[in-house]
Amino acid sequence: AQTVTQSQPEMSVQEAETVTLSCTYDTSESDYYLFWYKQPPSRQMILVIRQEAYKQQNATENRFSVNFQKAAKSFSLKISDSQLGDAAMYFCACEGAQKLVFGQGTRLTINP
Amino acid sequence: SAVISQKPSRDICQRGTSLTIQCQVDSQVTMMFWYRQQPGQSLTLIATANQGSEATYESGFVIDKFPISRPNLTFSTLTVSNMSPEDSSIYLCSVDNGRGTEAFFGQGTRLTVV
């Protein structure tokens, strides 16, 4: 079974600053994928970034990057130059045997 | 990518009644997924719907309570049966293009049972 844990229910950051959201996971699969999804107030889930577990290089998408520590089973998300539109719930997720398991979510607030 | 249209976007229902939620995708997909998101909580997978076969339910979810139809490769419905206030949640439909690929979600159905 897979579990995903996000230990920060809420985070806040000043606009233009950098924030890191934490995520740890556990899986018995040797081949798995990790994701960060964003859910703004509109409820529309949107993919932020994706990482294949077999790749050592950390994924990057513009202002979003991850710190993937496979041995520690840690997958944190760094948001640089935070913008007001980044305000949302952020969910970490792990996909093993065709099942996507989500963490509890972190609500990110951006302070102008 | 995939665009998902989910209906209704919200509903308020009386306890003991049933609600059917529709999910339409703009392309053919093998598997469709139904999730429940209880207020302020994470997404929990209810079942996986394959065209031409019965849905596969996750632990804690049963077909009598959440019957699912999948008549073709672009459409699915989830029915929440004999509703109680504990069924008040957001229900989301999702598809992807295979293991490890991006999942696309509908905008969800916010259900309130009174």
Side-chain angles (χ1 to χ4, degrees):
Chain A
Q2 294 155 215
T3 60
V4 179
T5 302
Q6 293 177 249
S7 58
Q8 305 156 316
E10 297 184 354
M11 292 282 285
S12 64
V13 63
Q14 290 294 127
E15 192 176 4
E17 297 295 308
T18 295
V19 64
T20 298
L21 308 184
S22 301
C23 173
T24 57
Y25 64 93
D26 194 14
T27 178
S28 58
E29 306 270 345
S30 58
D31 181 22
Y32 56 92
Y33 301 84
L34 297 164
F35 304 85
W36 278 97
Y37 282 89
K38 166 185 176 181
Q39 186 179 42
S42 67
R43 300 201 306 258
Q44 183 71 56
M45 293 282 285
I46 302 166
L47 177 67
V48 175
I49 201 163
R50 169 182 172 272
Q51 173 86 41
E52 293 107 330
Y54 61 85
K55 287 189 176 179
Q56 291 186 338
Q57 186 173 4
N58 289 324
T60 299
E61 287 287 342
N62 301 314
R63 298 183 294 108
F64 300 88
S65 61
V66 298
N67 183 5
F68 175 42
Q69 300 291 326
K70 191 171 184 177
K73 294 185 177 178
S74 170
F75 184 61
S76 62
L77 174 69
K78 185 172 83 171
I79 305 174
S80 303
D81 185 25
S82 298
Q83 300 176 1
L84 295 178
D86 295 333
M89 283 290 289
Y90 285 81
F91 292 97
C92 179
C94 177
E95 182 173 6
Q98 293 190 326
K99 179 178 174 179
L100 194 57
V101 175
F102 289 87
Q104 304 92 319
T106 297
R107 182 175 301 280
L108 179 63
T109 302
I110 312 296
N111 300 314
Chain B
S1 67
V3 177
I4 301 175
S5 172
Q6 191 173 333
K7 297 178 182 179
S9 60
R10 61 178 59 221
D11 208 341
I12 301 174
C13 300
Q14 296 290 323
R15 68 178 66 201
T17 63
S18 298
L19 176 71
T20 295
I21 302 167
Q22 299 180 1
C23 180
Q24 177 76 53
V25 189
D26 69 342
S27 58
Q28 294 185 340
V29 292
T30 303
M31 292 194 290
M32 297 177 75
F33 306 91
W34 287 98
Y35 290 88
R36 182 174 72 184
Q37 185 177 22
Q38 294 181 304
Q41 297 191 27
S42 185
L43 284 74
T44 301
L45 182 65
I46 297 171
T48 302
N50 295 320
Q51 194 267 336
S53 63
E54 286 211 355
T56 302
Y57 289 82
E58 297 299 310
S59 176
F61 298 96
V62 295
I63 188 171
D64 290 346
K65 176 67 175 176
F66 299 100
I68 288 172
S69 79
R70 183 80 200 273
N72 58 52
L73 291 173
T74 63
F75 187 78
S76 178
T77 66
L78 169 76
T79 298
V80 186
S81 303
N82 188 24
M83 289 184 285
S84 67
E86 291 71 35
D87 295 321
S88 297
S89 286
I90 296 171
Y91 293 85
L92 296 118
C93 169
S94 174
V95 303
D96 62 29
N97 290 316
R99 184 166 175 263
T101 62
E102 177 179 0
F104 300 93
F105 292 82
Q107 286 198 298
T109 297
R110 183 183 294 274
L111 170 62
T112 302
V113 184
V114 297

